[in-house]
Amino acid sequence: MTHRVHNFNAGPAALPLPVLELAQRDLLDYAGSGMSILEMSHRSTLYEQVHNQTIADLRELLECSEDYAILFMGGGGQSQFALLAMNLLAPDAHADYLDTGSWSVSAIREAQKIGAVRTLWSGADTHYDRVPMPHDYEVDGSAAYLHYTSNNTIAGTQFALPPESGDVPLVCDMSSDILSQPIDMSRFGLIYAGAQKNAGPAGVTIVIIRRDLLERCPSGLSATFNYAELASKNSLLNTPPVFAIYMVGLVAQYLLDQGGLEAMATRNAQKATLLYETIDRSDGFYRGCAQPHSRSLMNVTFRLPSEELEARFVAESIEADLIGLKGHRSVGGIRASIYNAVPLESVQALTTFMTDFRQRCE
Ligand SMILES: *Cc1c(COP(=O)(O)O)cnc(C)c1O
């Protein structure tokens, strides 16, 4: 029997077991072709079917109309920090950003290398323990776009609703919560997400862009960096990360089989509630890092009374097959990443361990 652990890794992260089993089944002989999907041309009919079905399934899951192009790119989420500005931030314009943590900081830093950027709000003063309320900032109607990070993977905060941006295109780094709940696509100008947290393996970034924005992409921009060029070639301008896209396709089919994003949202809320209740009912032994109204349903961050106890917690959790609970190196503490593919049973195993650990320490 294969040994599988309770996987709380932040990214790359857990994938649904049925998805891994399908990938294993198909590895040597994809659909009777006698080849792996890793070994065939990206121009072959078989691959094109995978590519287009993955786009169609993402469209269905996200209820995303044809007003938007769905692109697959390489370079990870962080490449989009620059590519976004290269495509949509004209030399005479400026872009507005909300700074809700390390990933926002990096997105701002990269965009500043391309053009003019304003930080409308920053949570740095309170260690990024919350996301802003609508009255905390004012979007400038002339901004090229408003950028925010929907889920802050490191701090453990999340926007419950997208920010209001009026007529300014809303741009979202959704790397760590895409496909975790239904979204109203019509609110967004552009969404990008590295796949490796909630949508598949590392290697592909999903970019969803409202087609009217494609007109802004400068024609002088290199073709493989240019959203408009990629959209016109259905992301088959050059060789796309074929295996990662195939895996995203398997994840999308799995999510559709499970009841889509409504069902995911219900399960994710159930998992997060269980974990936050365990924290809140521990008489202060466990302390959540995020303010309650900003708590992430994907990355649950908390502290113990001392760093020594945190180190012991991590060491003993590994003994109990609970993997990946050490907080990000920049902030310390404990972080449980409970993306779509982490089952309720894993969260139950964690809360049982937490209750037991606390009793042993007190
Ligand atoms: C992980 C992460 C990134 C970085 O993605 P890479 O693919 O490693 O470049 C960017 N933004 C958020 C919100 C993330 O969680």
Side-chain angles (χ1 to χ4, degrees):
M1 266 278 288
T2 308
H3 173 67
R4 301 272 302 164
V5 299
H6 296 295
N7 187 345
F8 299 99
N9 281 321
L15 285 161
L17 184 56
V19 164
L20 293 172
E21 286 169 342
L22 280 176
Q24 186 181 45
R25 184 200 68 187
D26 287 352
L27 191 66
L28 301 185
D29 178 8
Y30 178 74
S33 66
M35 290 177 276
S36 166
I37 199 91
L38 286 160
E39 302 173 292
M40 65 179 73
S41 168
H42 60 293
R43 309 279 176 210
S44 63
T45 311
L46 263 187
Y47 175 71
E48 271 191 22
Q49 278 168 0
V50 169
H51 190 91
N52 291 331
Q53 191 62 48
T54 303
I55 293 172
D57 289 345
L58 288 174
R59 219 180 259 296
E60 183 176 346
L61 281 168
L62 292 163
E63 295 184 42
C64 175
S65 77
E66 288 291 340
D67 292 346
Y68 294 79
I70 299 181
L71 312 180
F72 297 128
M73 296 179 73
Q78 293 195 59
S79 296
Q80 297 302 323
F81 297 167
L83 290 169
L84 162 66
M86 288 159 81
N87 278 278
L88 299 187
L89 182 49
D92 56 350
H94 72 274
D96 285 350
Y97 279 70
L98 299 175
D99 169 18
T100 53
S102 325
W103 294 120
S104 307
V105 169
S106 299
I108 291 166
R109 196 192 311 118
E110 292 303 312
Q112 275 169 342
K113 295 176 186 171
I114 315 290
V117 167
R118 298 191 324 163
T119 301
L120 292 189
W121 183 88
S122 172
D125 292 347
T126 61
H127 303 288
Y128 297 113
D129 68 346
R130 70 177 184 99
V131 298
M133 299 283 146
H135 60 260
D136 285 331
Y137 58 90
E138 204 171 327
V139 183
D140 174 356
S142 69
Y145 57 82
L146 171 68
H147 179 282
Y148 81 111
T149 314
S150 53
N151 182 72
N152 298 281
T153 326
I154 295 174
T157 63
Q158 186 175 24
F159 282 80
L161 290 170
E164 288 293 342
S165 66
D167 289 337
V168 173
L170 185 62
V171 172
C172 180
D173 175 359
M174 214 175 269
S175 292
S176 55
D177 65 352
I178 191 168
L179 305 180
S180 70
Q181 58 188 359
I183 52 170
D184 176 1
M185 268 311 300
S186 69
R187 297 285 302 277
F188 296 91
L190 187 150
I191 290 170
Y192 62 91
Q196 71 270 24
K197 272 89 185 218
N198 215 20
V204 63
T205 306
I206 300 163
V207 178
I208 307 174
I209 180 167
R210 216 174 58 214
R211 290 188 202 271
D212 63 292
L213 294 173
L214 294 171
E215 285 158 29
R216 295 198 198 176
C217 304
S219 52
L221 189 57
S222 303
T224 53
F225 295 170
N226 191 316
Y227 296 146
E229 297 256 16
L230 283 160
S232 74
K233 301 277 174 8
N234 191 26
S235 305
L236 287 162
L237 182 141
N238 62 333
T239 316
V242 290
F243 195 72
I245 292 167
Y246 155 80
M247 291 292 287
V248 169
L250 292 182
V251 170
Q253 277 166 23
Y254 169 81
L255 296 180
L256 286 168
D257 289 346
Q258 294 289 305
L261 302 191
E262 289 285 356
M264 283 305 116
T266 306
R267 273 173 51 177
N268 288 329
Q270 195 186 3
K271 285 162 8 189
T273 301
L274 183 59
L275 207 34
Y276 285 120
E277 277 178 1
T278 307
I279 292 168
D280 292 340
R281 292 177 186 164
S282 70
D283 291 326
F285 183 79
Y286 299 113
R287 279 171 297 118
C289 299
Q291 290 191 26
H293 62 79
S294 294
R295 282 174 162 177
S296 168
L297 302 187
M298 297 278 98
N299 308 96
V300 177
T301 51
F302 56 97
R303 309 294 313 223
L304 272 66
S306 69
E307 288 187 15
E308 289 68 39
L309 279 174
E310 286 170 354
R312 207 176 120 195
F313 181 96
V314 171
E316 290 188 20
S317 64
I318 293 168
E319 297 281 299
D321 259 357
L322 305 161
I323 303 303
L325 291 168
K326 196 173 193 302
H328 191 269
R329 60 190 183 282
S330 63
V331 293
I334 308 294
R335 168 175 59 177
S337 298
I338 49 172
Y339 303 121
N340 283 347
V342 177
L344 178 64
E345 298 76 60
S346 289
V347 177
Q348 285 165 337
L350 172 57
T351 54
T352 303
F353 172 83
M354 286 168 70
T355 306
D356 178 62
F357 184 85
R358 181 183 139 214
Q359 278 162 1
R360 280 186 282 120
C361 292
E362 282 177 345

